[in-house]
Coordinates of all heavy atoms in Angstrom, one line a residue:
K1 N 7.6 -7.7 5.2 CA 7.4 -6.6 4.2 C 6.1 -6.6 3.6 O 5.9 -7.4 2.7 CB 8.5 -6.5 3.2 CG 10.0 -6.3 3.7 CD 11.0 -6.2 2.5 CE 12.3 -5.9 3.0 NZ 13.2 -5.4 1.9
M2 N 5.2 -5.7 3.9 CA 4.0 -5.6 3.4 C 3.8 -4.4 2.6 O 4.1 -3.2 3.1 CB 2.7 -5.7 4.5 CG 2.9 -6.9 5.2 SD 2.3 -8.4 4.3 CE 0.6 -8.4 4.7
A3 N 3.2 -4.5 1.3 CA 2.9 -3.2 0.6 C 1.4 -3.1 0.7 O 0.6 -4.0 0.7 CB 3.3 -3.4 -0.9
T4 N 1.1 -1.9 0.8 CA -0.4 -1.5 0.7 C -0.8 -1.3 -0.8 O -0.2 -0.3 -1.4 CB -0.8 -0.4 1.5 OG1 -0.4 -0.6 2.8 CG2 -2.2 0.0 1.4
V5 N -1.6 -2.2 -1.4 CA -2.0 -1.9 -2.7 C -3.4 -1.4 -2.8 O -4.3 -1.9 -2.3 CB -2.0 -3.3 -3.5 CG1 -2.3 -3.2 -5.0 CG2 -0.7 -4.0 -3.2
F6 N -3.4 -0.2 -3.5 CA -4.7 0.5 -3.8 C -5.3 -0.1 -5.1 O -4.7 0.0 -6.2 CB -4.6 2.0 -3.8 CG -4.2 2.5 -2.4 CD1 -2.9 2.6 -2.0 CD2 -5.2 3.1 -1.7 CE1 -2.6 3.1 -0.7 CE2 -4.9 3.6 -0.4 CZ -3.5 3.6 0.1
L7 N -6.4 -0.8 -5.0 CA -6.9 -1.5 -6.1 C -7.8 -0.6 -7.0 O -8.7 0.1 -6.6 CB -7.8 -2.7 -5.7 CG -7.2 -3.8 -4.8 CD1 -8.1 -4.7 -4.4 CD2 -6.1 -4.4 -5.7
P8 N -7.6 -0.5 -8.3 CA -8.4 0.2 -9.2 C -9.8 -0.4 -9.1 O -10.0 -1.7 -8.8 CB -7.8 0.0 -10.7 CG -6.6 -0.8 -10.4 CD -6.5 -1.2 -9.0
Y9 N -10.8 0.3 -9.5 CA -12.2 -0.1 -9.4 C -12.4 -1.5 -10.1 O -13.0 -2.4 -9.5 CB -13.2 0.9 -10.1 CG -14.6 0.6 -9.9 CD1 -15.2 0.8 -8.6 CD2 -15.3 0.0 -10.9 CE1 -16.5 0.5 -8.5 CE2 -16.6 -0.3 -10.7 CZ -17.3 -0.1 -9.5 OH -18.6 -0.4 -9.4
A10 N -11.8 -1.8 -11.3 CA -12.0 -2.9 -12.0 C -11.5 -4.3 -11.2 O -12.0 -5.3 -11.4 CB -11.4 -2.9 -13.4
L11 N -10.5 -4.1 -10.2 CA -10.0 -5.1 -9.5 C -10.7 -5.4 -8.1 O -10.6 -6.4 -7.6 CB -8.5 -4.9 -9.2 CG -7.7 -4.9 -10.5 CD1 -6.2 -4.9 -10.0 CD2 -7.9 -6.0 -11.3
R12 N -11.5 -4.4 -7.7 CA -12.1 -4.6 -6.4 C -13.0 -5.8 -6.3 O -13.1 -6.4 -5.2 CB -12.8 -3.3 -6.0 CG -11.8 -2.1 -5.8 CD -12.6 -0.9 -5.5 NE -11.5 0.2 -5.5 CZ -11.8 1.5 -5.5 NH1 -13.1 1.9 -5.5 NH2 -10.9 2.3 -5.7
K13 N -13.7 -6.1 -7.4 CA -14.5 -7.3 -7.3 C -13.9 -8.6 -7.0 O -14.4 -9.5 -6.4 CB -15.4 -7.5 -8.7 CG -14.4 -7.8 -9.8 CD -15.1 -7.9 -11.2 CE -14.2 -8.1 -12.3 NZ -14.9 -7.9 -13.6
Y14 N -12.6 -8.7 -7.2 CA -11.8 -9.9 -6.9 C -11.5 -10.0 -5.5 O -11.1 -11.0 -4.9 CB -10.5 -10.0 -7.7 CG -10.7 -10.0 -9.2 CD1 -10.6 -8.9 -10.0 CD2 -11.3 -11.2 -9.8 CE1 -10.9 -8.9 -11.3 CE2 -11.4 -11.3 -11.2 CZ -11.1 -10.1 -11.9 OH -11.5 -10.2 -13.2
A15 N -11.4 -8.8 -4.7 CA -11.1 -8.7 -3.4 C -12.3 -8.3 -2.5 O -12.1 -7.5 -1.5 CB -10.0 -7.6 -3.3
D16 N -13.4 -8.8 -2.8 CA -14.7 -8.6 -1.9 C -14.9 -7.1 -1.9 O -15.4 -6.6 -0.8 CB -14.5 -9.3 -0.7 CG -14.5 -10.7 -0.8 OD1 -15.2 -11.3 -1.6 OD2 -13.8 -11.3 0.1
G17 N -14.6 -6.3 -2.9 CA -14.8 -4.8 -2.8 C -13.9 -4.0 -2.2 O -14.1 -2.7 -2.1
A18 N -12.8 -4.7 -1.6 CA -11.8 -3.8 -0.9 C -11.2 -2.8 -1.9 O -10.8 -3.1 -3.0 CB -10.8 -4.7 -0.3
E19 N -11.0 -1.6 -1.3 CA -10.2 -0.5 -2.0 C -8.7 -0.7 -1.9 O -7.9 -0.3 -2.8 CB -10.7 0.8 -1.5 CG -12.1 1.2 -1.9 CD -12.5 2.5 -1.5 OE1 -11.6 3.5 -1.3 OE2 -13.7 2.8 -1.3
Q20 N -8.3 -1.3 -0.8 CA -6.9 -1.5 -0.6 C -6.7 -2.9 0.1 O -7.5 -3.3 0.9 CB -6.2 -0.3 0.1 CG -6.6 -0.2 1.5 CD -6.2 1.1 2.1 OE1 -6.5 2.2 1.6 NE2 -5.6 1.0 3.3
V21 N -5.5 -3.5 -0.2 CA -5.2 -4.8 0.5 C -3.7 -4.8 0.8 O -2.9 -4.0 0.3 CB -5.5 -5.9 -0.5 CG1 -6.9 -6.1 -0.7 CG2 -4.8 -5.9 -1.9
Q22 N -3.4 -5.6 1.7 CA -1.9 -5.7 2.2 C -1.3 -7.0 1.5 O -1.9 -8.0 1.5 CB -1.9 -5.9 3.6 CG -2.4 -4.8 4.5 CD -1.5 -3.5 4.5 OE1 -0.3 -3.7 4.7 NE2 -2.0 -2.5 4.3
V23 N -0.2 -6.8 0.8 CA 0.4 -7.9 0.1 C 1.9 -7.9 0.4 O 2.5 -6.9 0.2 CB 0.2 -7.7 -1.5 CG1 0.8 -8.8 -2.2 CG2 -1.3 -7.6 -1.8
P24 N 2.4 -9.0 0.8 CA 3.9 -9.2 1.0 C 4.6 -9.2 -0.3 O 4.2 -9.9 -1.1 CB 4.1 -10.5 1.8 CG 2.9 -11.3 1.4 CD 1.8 -10.3 1.0
A25 N 5.7 -8.4 -0.4 CA 6.4 -8.4 -1.7 C 7.7 -7.5 -1.6 O 7.7 -6.5 -0.9 CB 5.5 -7.8 -2.8
K26 N 8.7 -7.9 -2.3 CA 9.9 -7.3 -2.3 C 10.2 -6.5 -3.7 O 10.9 -5.6 -3.8 CB 11.1 -8.1 -2.1 CG 11.2 -8.7 -0.7 CD 12.4 -9.6 -0.5 CE 12.4 -10.1 0.8 NZ 12.7 -11.6 0.9
T27 N 9.4 -7.0 -4.6 CA 9.4 -6.3 -6.0 C 8.0 -6.2 -6.5 O 7.1 -6.9 -6.1 CB 10.3 -7.2 -7.1 OG1 9.6 -8.4 -7.3 CG2 11.6 -7.3 -6.7
L28 N 7.8 -5.5 -7.6 CA 6.5 -5.3 -8.2 C 6.0 -6.6 -8.8 O 4.9 -7.0 -8.8 CB 6.5 -4.2 -9.2 CG 5.2 -3.6 -9.6 CD1 4.5 -3.1 -8.4 CD2 5.5 -2.5 -10.6
R29 N 6.9 -7.4 -9.4 CA 6.6 -8.7 -9.9 C 6.1 -9.6 -8.9 O 5.1 -10.3 -9.0 CB 7.8 -9.3 -10.6 CG 7.5 -10.7 -11.1 CD 8.8 -11.4 -11.8 NE 9.6 -10.6 -12.7 CZ 9.3 -10.3 -13.9 NH1 8.2 -10.9 -14.4 NH2 10.0 -9.5 -14.8
E30 N 6.8 -9.7 -7.7 CA 6.4 -10.5 -6.5 C 5.0 -10.1 -6.0 O 4.1 -10.9 -5.8 CB 7.4 -10.5 -5.4 CG 7.2 -11.4 -4.3 CD 8.3 -11.3 -3.3 OE1 9.6 -11.1 -3.6 OE2 8.0 -11.5 -2.1
L31 N 4.8 -8.7 -6.1 CA 3.5 -8.1 -5.6 C 2.4 -8.7 -6.5 O 1.3 -9.1 -6.0 CB 3.5 -6.6 -5.6 CG 2.3 -6.0 -5.1 CD1 2.6 -4.9 -4.2 CD2 1.4 -5.5 -6.2
V32 N 2.6 -8.6 -7.8 CA 1.5 -9.1 -8.8 C 1.3 -10.5 -8.6 O 0.2 -11.0 -8.5 CB 1.9 -8.8 -10.2 CG1 1.0 -9.4 -11.2 CG2 2.0 -7.2 -10.5
D33 N 2.3 -11.4 -8.4 CA 2.2 -12.8 -8.2 C 1.4 -13.0 -7.0 O 0.6 -13.9 -6.9 CB 3.7 -13.5 -8.1 CG 4.3 -13.6 -9.3 OD1 3.7 -13.3 -10.4 OD2 5.6 -13.8 -9.5
N34 N 1.8 -12.4 -5.9 CA 1.1 -12.7 -4.6 C -0.4 -12.0 -4.6 O -1.2 -12.7 -3.9 CB 1.8 -11.9 -3.4 CG 3.2 -12.7 -3.1 OD1 3.3 -13.8 -3.6 ND2 4.2 -12.0 -2.4
L35 N -0.6 -11.0 -5.3 CA -1.9 -10.5 -5.4 C -2.8 -11.5 -6.2 O -3.9 -11.8 -5.8 CB -1.9 -9.1 -6.3 CG -3.0 -8.2 -6.2 CD1 -3.4 -7.7 -4.8 CD2 -2.8 -7.0 -7.1
E36 N -2.2 -12.1 -7.3 CA -3.0 -13.2 -7.9 C -3.2 -14.3 -7.1 O -4.3 -15.0 -7.2 CB -2.1 -13.6 -9.2 CG -2.7 -14.7 -10.0 CD -4.1 -14.4 -10.7 OE1 -4.4 -13.2 -10.9 OE2 -4.7 -15.4 -11.0
A37 N -2.2 -14.8 -6.3 CA -2.4 -15.9 -5.4 C -3.6 -15.6 -4.4 O -4.4 -16.5 -4.1 CB -1.2 -16.3 -4.7
A38 N -3.6 -14.4 -3.9 CA -4.7 -14.2 -2.9 C -6.1 -13.8 -3.6 O -7.0 -14.1 -3.1 CB -4.2 -12.9 -2.0
Y39 N -6.0 -13.2 -4.7 CA -7.1 -12.7 -5.4 C -7.2 -13.1 -6.8 O -6.8 -12.3 -7.7 CB -7.3 -11.2 -5.3 CG -7.3 -10.7 -3.9 CD1 -6.0 -10.1 -3.4 CD2 -8.2 -10.8 -2.9 CE1 -5.9 -9.7 -2.1 CE2 -8.1 -10.5 -1.6 CZ -6.9 -9.9 -1.2 OH -6.8 -9.4 0.2
P40 N -7.5 -14.4 -7.1 CA -7.3 -14.9 -8.6 C -8.1 -14.0 -9.5 O -9.2 -13.7 -9.3 CB -7.9 -16.3 -8.4 CG -7.7 -16.7 -7.0 CD -7.8 -15.5 -6.2
G41 N -7.5 -13.7 -10.6 CA -8.1 -12.9 -11.7 C -7.5 -11.5 -11.8 O -7.7 -10.9 -12.8
T42 N -6.8 -11.2 -10.8 CA -6.2 -9.7 -10.8 C -5.0 -9.6 -11.8 O -4.9 -8.6 -12.4 CB -5.7 -9.4 -9.5 OG1 -4.8 -10.3 -9.0 CG2 -6.8 -9.2 -8.5
R43 N -4.2 -10.7 -12.1 CA -3.0 -10.6 -12.8 C -3.3 -10.2 -14.3 O -2.6 -9.3 -14.8 CB -2.3 -11.9 -12.9 CG -1.1 -11.9 -13.7 CD -0.5 -13.2 -14.1 NE -0.3 -14.1 -13.0 CZ 0.8 -14.2 -12.3 NH1 1.9 -13.4 -12.6 NH2 0.8 -15.1 -11.3
E44 N -4.5 -10.7 -14.8 CA -4.8 -10.5 -16.2 C -5.2 -9.0 -16.5 O -4.9 -8.5 -17.6 CB -5.9 -11.4 -16.8 CG -7.2 -11.1 -16.0 CD -8.3 -12.0 -16.5 OE1 -8.4 -13.1 -15.9 OE2 -9.1 -11.7 -17.4
H45 N -5.4 -8.2 -15.5 CA -5.7 -6.8 -15.5 C -4.6 -6.0 -15.5 O -4.5 -4.9 -15.8 CB -6.7 -6.3 -14.5 CG -8.2 -7.0 -14.6 ND1 -9.1 -6.2 -15.5 CD2 -8.6 -8.1 -14.2 CE1 -10.2 -7.0 -15.4 NE2 -10.0 -8.1 -14.7
L46 N -3.4 -6.6 -14.9 CA -2.1 -5.9 -14.7 C -1.0 -6.1 -15.6 O -0.2 -5.3 -15.9 CB -1.7 -6.1 -13.2 CG -2.8 -5.7 -12.1 CD1 -2.3 -6.2 -10.8 CD2 -3.0 -4.3 -12.1
V47 N -0.9 -7.4 -16.0 CA 0.3 -7.9 -16.7 C -0.1 -8.5 -18.1 O -1.1 -9.2 -18.1 CB 1.0 -8.9 -15.9 CG1 2.2 -9.4 -16.6 CG2 1.5 -8.2 -14.5
E48 N 0.8 -8.2 -19.1 CA 0.6 -8.8 -20.3 C 2.0 -9.0 -20.9 O 2.8 -8.1 -20.8 CB -0.2 -7.8 -21.2 CG -0.5 -8.3 -22.6 CD -1.2 -7.2 -23.3 OE1 -2.5 -7.1 -23.0 OE2 -0.7 -6.4 -24.1
D49 N 2.3 -10.2 -21.4 CA 3.6 -10.6 -21.9 C 4.7 -10.3 -20.9 O 5.8 -9.8 -21.2 CB 3.9 -9.8 -23.2 CG 3.0 -10.2 -24.4 OD1 2.4 -11.4 -24.3 OD2 2.6 -9.3 -25.1
D50 N 4.4 -10.7 -19.7 CA 5.4 -10.5 -18.6 C 5.8 -9.1 -18.2 O 7.0 -8.8 -17.9 CB 6.7 -11.4 -18.8 CG 7.3 -11.7 -17.5 OD1 6.6 -11.9 -16.3 OD2 8.6 -11.9 -17.4
R51 N 5.0 -8.1 -18.6 CA 5.3 -6.7 -18.3 C 3.9 -6.1 -18.0 O 2.9 -6.6 -18.2 CB 6.1 -6.0 -19.4 CG 5.2 -6.1 -20.6 CD 6.1 -5.7 -21.9 NE 6.9 -4.6 -21.6 CZ 7.9 -4.2 -22.4 NH1 8.3 -5.0 -23.4 NH2 8.6 -3.1 -22.1
L52 N 4.0 -4.8 -17.4 CA 2.8 -4.2 -17.0 C 2.0 -3.9 -18.4 O 2.7 -3.6 -19.4 CB 3.1 -2.7 -16.4 CG 3.5 -2.8 -15.0 CD1 3.9 -1.4 -14.5 CD2 2.4 -3.4 -14.1
K53 N 0.8 -3.9 -18.3 CA -0.1 -3.8 -19.6 C 0.2 -2.4 -20.0 O 0.3 -1.5 -19.4 CB -1.6 -4.0 -19.2 CG -1.9 -5.4 -19.0 CD -3.3 -5.6 -18.8 CE -4.0 -5.9 -20.1 NZ -5.4 -6.4 -20.0
P54 N 0.1 -2.3 -21.4 CA 0.2 -1.0 -22.0 C -0.9 0.0 -21.5 O -2.0 -0.6 -21.3 CB 0.0 -1.2 -23.5 CG 0.3 -2.6 -23.7 CD -0.1 -3.3 -22.4
G55 N -0.6 1.1 -21.1 CA -1.6 2.1 -20.7 C -1.9 2.0 -19.2 O -2.7 2.8 -18.7
L56 N -1.0 1.1 -18.5 CA -1.2 1.0 -17.0 C 0.2 1.5 -16.5 O 1.2 1.2 -17.0 CB -1.4 -0.4 -16.7 CG -1.6 -0.7 -15.2 CD1 -3.0 -0.2 -14.8 CD2 -1.5 -2.2 -14.9
A57 N 0.0 2.3 -15.5 CA 1.2 2.9 -14.7 C 1.1 2.3 -13.2 O 0.1 2.1 -12.7 CB 1.1 4.4 -14.7
A58 N 2.3 2.1 -12.7 CA 2.4 1.7 -11.3 C 3.0 2.8 -10.5 O 4.1 3.2 -11.0 CB 3.2 0.4 -11.2
I59 N 2.4 3.3 -9.7 CA 2.9 4.4 -8.8 C 3.4 3.7 -7.4 O 2.6 3.1 -6.7 CB 1.9 5.4 -8.3 CG1 1.1 5.9 -9.6 CG2 2.5 6.6 -7.7 CD1 2.0 6.6 -10.7
V60 N 4.7 3.8 -7.2 CA 5.3 3.1 -6.0 C 5.8 4.2 -5.0 O 6.6 5.1 -5.5 CB 6.5 2.1 -6.5 CG1 7.1 1.6 -5.2 CG2 6.0 1.1 -7.4
G61 N 5.2 4.3 -4.0 CA 5.5 5.5 -3.1 C 4.7 6.6 -3.7 O 3.5 6.6 -3.8
H62 N 5.4 7.6 -4.2 CA 4.8 8.6 -4.9 C 5.4 8.9 -6.3 O 5.2 9.9 -6.8 CB 4.9 10.0 -4.0 CG 4.3 9.9 -2.7 ND1 2.8 9.9 -2.6 CD2 4.8 9.7 -1.5 CE1 2.7 9.8 -1.2 NE2 3.8 9.6 -0.6
V63 N 6.0 7.8 -6.7 CA 6.7 8.0 -8.0 C 6.3 7.0 -9.0 O 6.2 5.7 -8.7 CB 8.4 7.8 -7.8 CG1 9.0 8.0 -9.1 CG2 8.7 8.8 -6.8
A64 N 6.1 7.4 -10.3 CA 5.7 6.3 -11.3 C 7.0 5.7 -11.6 O 8.0 6.2 -12.0 CB 5.1 7.1 -12.5
T65 N 6.9 4.3 -11.6 CA 8.0 3.5 -11.8 C 8.4 3.4 -13.4 O 7.4 3.3 -14.1 CB 7.9 2.0 -11.2 OG1 9.0 1.3 -11.7 CG2 6.6 1.3 -11.8
R66 N 9.6 3.5 -13.6 CA 10.2 3.3 -15.0 C 10.7 1.9 -15.1 O 11.0 1.5 -16.2 CB 11.1 4.3 -15.3 CG 10.6 5.6 -15.2 CD 10.7 6.4 -16.5 NE 10.1 7.8 -16.5 CZ 9.0 8.1 -16.9 NH1 8.2 7.2 -17.4 NH2 8.6 9.4 -16.9
R67 N 10.8 1.1 -14.1 CA 11.4 -0.2 -14.0 C 10.4 -1.3 -14.1 O 10.8 -2.5 -14.1 CB 12.2 -0.4 -12.8 CG 13.2 0.8 -12.5 CD 14.3 0.5 -11.6 NE 15.1 -0.7 -12.1 CZ 15.5 -1.8 -11.3 NH1 15.3 -1.7 -10.0 NH2 16.2 -2.7 -11.9
G68 N 9.2 -1.0 -14.2 CA 8.1 -2.0 -14.4 C 8.1 -3.0 -13.4 O 8.3 -2.7 -12.2
L69 N 8.1 -4.4 -13.7 CA 8.0 -5.4 -12.7 C 9.2 -5.7 -11.9 O 9.2 -6.3 -10.9 CB 7.5 -6.7 -13.3 CG 6.1 -6.6 -14.0 CD1 5.9 -7.9 -14.7 CD2 5.0 -6.4 -12.9
L70 N 10.4 -5.1 -12.3 CA 11.6 -5.1 -11.6 C 11.7 -4.2 -10.5 O 12.7 -4.2 -9.6 CB 12.8 -4.9 -12.6 CG 13.0 -5.9 -13.8 CD1 14.1 -5.4 -14.7 CD2 13.1 -7.3 -13.2
Q71 N 10.8 -3.2 -10.4 CA 10.8 -2.2 -9.3 C 10.9 -2.9 -8.0 O 10.2 -3.7 -7.6 CB 9.5 -1.3 -9.4 CG 9.5 -0.2 -8.4 CD 10.5 0.9 -8.6 OE1 10.8 1.2 -9.6 NE2 11.2 1.2 -7.3
K72 N 11.9 -2.5 -7.2 CA 12.0 -2.9 -5.8 C 11.0 -2.1 -4.9 O 10.7 -1.0 -5.2 CB 13.5 -2.8 -5.3 CG 14.4 -3.7 -6.0 CD 15.7 -3.8 -5.3 CE 16.8 -4.6 -6.0 NZ 16.3 -5.8 -6.5
L73 N 10.5 -2.9 -3.9 CA 9.6 -2.1 -3.1 C 10.2 -2.0 -1.6 O 10.8 -2.9 -1.1 CB 8.3 -3.0 -2.9 CG 7.5 -3.3 -4.1 CD1 6.3 -4.1 -3.9 CD2 7.2 -2.0 -4.9
E74 N 10.0 -0.9 -1.1 CA 10.5 -0.5 0.3 C 9.4 -1.2 1.3 O 8.2 -1.4 0.8 CB 10.5 0.9 0.6 CG 11.5 1.7 -0.2 CD 12.9 1.3 0.1 OE1 13.2 1.0 1.3 OE2 13.7 1.1 -0.9
P75 N 9.8 -1.6 2.5 CA 8.8 -2.0 3.4 C 7.7 -1.0 3.6 O 8.0 0.2 3.7 CB 9.6 -2.2 4.8 CG 10.9 -2.3 4.3 CD 11.1 -1.5 3.0
D76 N 6.5 -1.4 3.8 CA 5.3 -0.5 4.0 C 5.1 0.6 3.0 O 4.7 1.6 3.4 CB 5.5 0.1 5.4 CG 5.7 -0.9 6.5 OD1 5.0 -2.0 6.6 OD2 6.5 -0.7 7.4
T77 N 5.4 0.3 1.8 CA 5.1 1.3 0.7 C 3.7 1.1 0.1 O 3.1 0.1 0.4 CB 6.2 1.0 -0.4 OG1 6.2 2.2 -1.2 CG2 5.8 -0.1 -1.3
E78 N 3.3 2.1 -0.5 CA 2.0 2.1 -1.2 C 2.2 1.9 -2.7 O 3.1 2.6 -3.2 CB 1.2 3.5 -0.9 CG 0.9 3.7 0.6 CD 0.1 4.9 0.8 OE1 -0.1 5.6 -0.2 OE2 -0.3 5.2 1.9
V79 N 1.4 1.2 -3.2 CA 1.3 0.9 -4.6 C -0.1 1.1 -5.1 O -1.0 0.7 -4.7 CB 1.8 -0.6 -5.0 CG1 1.8 -0.8 -6.5 CG2 3.2 -0.9 -4.3
H80 N 0.0 2.0 -6.2 CA -1.3 2.3 -6.9 C -1.1 2.0 -8.4 O -0.1 2.2 -9.1 CB -1.5 3.9 -6.9 CG -1.7 4.5 -5.6 ND1 -3.0 4.8 -5.1 CD2 -0.9 4.7 -4.6 CE1 -2.8 5.3 -3.8 NE2 -1.6 5.2 -3.5
F81 N -2.1 1.2 -8.9 CA -2.1 0.9 -10.3 C -3.2 1.8 -11.0 O -4.3 1.8 -10.5 CB -2.5 -0.6 -10.6 CG -1.5 -1.5 -10.2 CD1 -1.6 -2.2 -9.0 CD2 -0.4 -1.7 -10.9 CE1 -0.7 -3.1 -8.6 CE2 0.6 -2.6 -10.6 CZ 0.4 -3.4 -9.4
I82 N -2.8 2.7 -11.9 CA -3.6 3.6 -12.5 C -3.5 3.6 -14.1 O -2.4 3.2 -14.6 CB -3.4 5.2 -12.1 CG1 -2.0 5.4 -12.4 CG2 -3.6 5.3 -10.6 CD1 -1.8 7.0 -12.2
T83 N -4.7 3.8 -14.6 CA -4.6 3.8 -16.2 C -3.9 5.1 -16.6 O -4.3 6.2 -16.1 CB -6.0 3.9 -16.6 OG1 -6.7 2.7 -16.1 CG2 -6.1 3.7 -18.2
A84 N -2.9 4.9 -17.4 CA -2.1 6.1 -17.8 C -3.1 7.0 -18.9 O -3.9 6.4 -19.6 CB -0.9 5.8 -18.5
I85 N -3.0 8.3 -18.6 CA -3.7 9.1 -19.4 C -2.8 9.6 -20.6 O -1.7 10.2 -20.3 CB -4.2 10.4 -18.7 CG1 -4.8 10.1 -17.3 CG2 -4.9 11.4 -19.6 CD1 -6.1 9.8 -17.4
S86 N -3.1 9.4 -21.8 CA -2.3 9.7 -22.9 C -2.9 11.0 -23.5 O -4.1 11.3 -23.4 CB -2.2 8.5 -24.0 OG -3.5 8.3 -24.4
G87 N -2.0 11.8 -24.1 CA -2.4 13.0 -24.6 C -1.4 13.5 -25.5 O -0.3 12.8 -25.8
G88 N -1.5 14.7 -26.2 CA -0.6 15.1 -27.1 C -1.0 16.3 -27.9 O -2.0 16.9 -27.6

């Protein structure tokens, strides 16, 4: 089971400039762990206190997850990490 992870600009320097990478994972937590193993330095941009950083959204497939790192991943899914836009 490989997820395609679209890397935000700030993370591309850890992956030799790649815009997307393939990462094996069954959950978003496993994806972050495996991303960190393959590209050291990425975790600190994504996770804080064992949860997604405030202001960061994970789009799994085409849906923003509300389950955070517990989100299960389908085989061959796409994952986007985007900075949440706040407004009001």
Side-chain angles (χ1 to χ4, degrees):
K1 292 186 173 188
M2 297 290 268
T4 300
V5 183
F6 289 82
L7 298 174
Y9 185 77
L11 295 188
R12 292 178 191 167
K13 64 185 176 190
Y14 300 104
D16 295 323
E19 292 182 24
Q20 62 189 60
V21 294
Q22 299 287 315
V23 179
K26 293 183 182 132
T27 65
L28 202 54
R29 179 184 311 280
E30 192 178 322
L31 183 137
V32 170
D33 290 345
N34 291 342
L35 196 60
E36 174 67 20
Y39 309 103
T42 52
R43 181 198 310 270
E44 67 186 82
H45 290 275
L46 301 173
V47 177
E48 183 178 282
D49 298 327
D50 203 36
R51 58 194 316 162
L52 284 177
K53 287 184 91 160
L56 185 71
I59 311 298
V60 177
H62 299 286
V63 181
T65 177
R66 301 235 179 262
R67 304 201 61 221
L69 296 175
L70 299 176
Q71 178 67 45
K72 292 194 181 324
L73 303 180
E74 297 296 319
D76 305 319
T77 196
E78 292 184 356
V79 178
H80 298 255
F81 290 103
I82 58 170
T83 304
I85 311 277
S86 58

